[in-house]
Amino acid sequence: MPPMSTPRVKTIASITVGEFFERHAEVLGLSLHGESHGFDRLISEPAINRPGLALAGFFSYFARKRIQVFGNSELAYLKKLPDPMRADRFRRICDRDIPCIVVARGATLGDDLMAVAKEHHIPVFGTSQVTMKFLNAATIRLEHDFGPSVTMHGCMVDMRGIGVMIVGKSGSGKSETAVGLLERGAALVADDMVRLKLVGGELIATAPDLSRGYMEIRGIGIINAANLYGLASIRPDKRLDLVVTLKPHADLNEVDRLGLQTKTFEILGQHIPHVEIPVAPGRDTARMVTIAALDQQLRRLGYNMADEFNQKLLNHMAGGF
């Protein structure tokens, strides 16, 4: 990783039930059952729990900090219990100070169980999604909510499916290079400030809400990429696949002319392929970044042009000139 200031890592210890509902209700098909209380309760683990064992009375290792999901099996088990026992088993779960309950498959809790949830100020939601589909979708969104993040100075574009972040000193031409990439069909993710969040082992880049779609071009000012290049020229987020550092040629101690050296840029513990491109007046930097992105795409598919040429050279040398 090149020497530069270390960005501050932002971590999330918990989110409120209200935040989870506001962000993901539409995608997860969530609707509120009963009264809107307990929205300030905290979800402290990015995972989902099915309380089947707890309903049977086994509370060792009960994941009380997670969202509790009731599917067909939990509801069928509760239905077979006598009325007093059913409410008692459900109450023992609510006594653990759980954040909220989600009932899957369009089902509902009985009035007696809803009364217990209300007594404990625990919000109850419903979804029409099948249980496993909800579990998978909600877990992905929780991982995104809880993922560590950093904000870095640079430009992020989607170049033919490869997420490229362009970094460099102020005035090195990052935004101008990004404009050149937009004219070649790339899509802008972020300009100037790039937010990177670690989700499922991948770094996902986004822009701050205020500046999304806007760019600052020295000598011109603020431009709106969508207005100039169309809606297809912007993307809300993109996985980071390649970091390109723009450097004055004089600042590069050594330039890898064959591309055999494998360099990486470490962000949040992830090692991202890294290319340093010398910049100079009149040089088409956007074209160089395009080539770097296409080369990275081929490398992801298992084809390395530099290795191929090097092997041909070695074979030629072995055979004599």
Side-chain angles (χ1 to χ4, degrees), residues 44-96:
S44 302
E45 291 184 4
I48 307 294
N49 186 57
R50 297 189 69 173
L53 288 175
L55 290 173
F58 184 78
F59 281 93
S60 297
Y61 310 107
F62 176 63
R64 66 175 186 83
K65 297 180 180 180
R66 302 178 182 179
I67 296 172
Q68 306 296 314
V69 175
F70 284 69
N72 273 350
S73 58
E74 290 82 6
L75 295 174
Y77 178 78
L78 283 171
K79 189 175 181 180
K80 290 184 177 181
L81 296 177
D83 290 348
M85 183 180 293
R86 178 170 62 249
D88 178 67
R89 295 286 177 86
F90 187 76
R91 184 184 302 276
R92 293 178 66 187
I93 290 177
C94 293
D95 286 341
R96 264 65 183 182

Side-chain angles (χ1 to χ4, degrees), residues 86-128:
R86 178 170 62 249
D88 178 67
R89 295 286 177 86
F90 187 76
R91 184 184 302 276
R92 293 178 66 187
I93 290 177
C94 293
D95 286 341
R96 264 65 183 182
D97 199 29
I98 59 176
C100 66
I101 293 170
V102 175
V103 185
R105 291 181 173 270
T108 58
L109 297 178
D111 292 341
D112 55 342
L113 303 186
M114 288 295 295
V116 174
K118 179 180 178 181
E119 176 186 333
H120 288 76
H121 299 284
I122 294 174
V124 178
F125 303 100
T127 177
S128 60

Side-chain angles (χ1 to χ4, degrees), residues 159-187:
M159 185 63 194
R160 303 188 186 183
I162 297 295
V164 182
M165 183 171 69
I166 306 167
V167 299
K169 294 181 179 179
S170 180
S172 60
K174 298 182 293 295
S175 295
E176 290 81 357
T177 300
V179 168
L181 293 172
L182 294 184
E183 293 177 348
R184 289 174 167 84

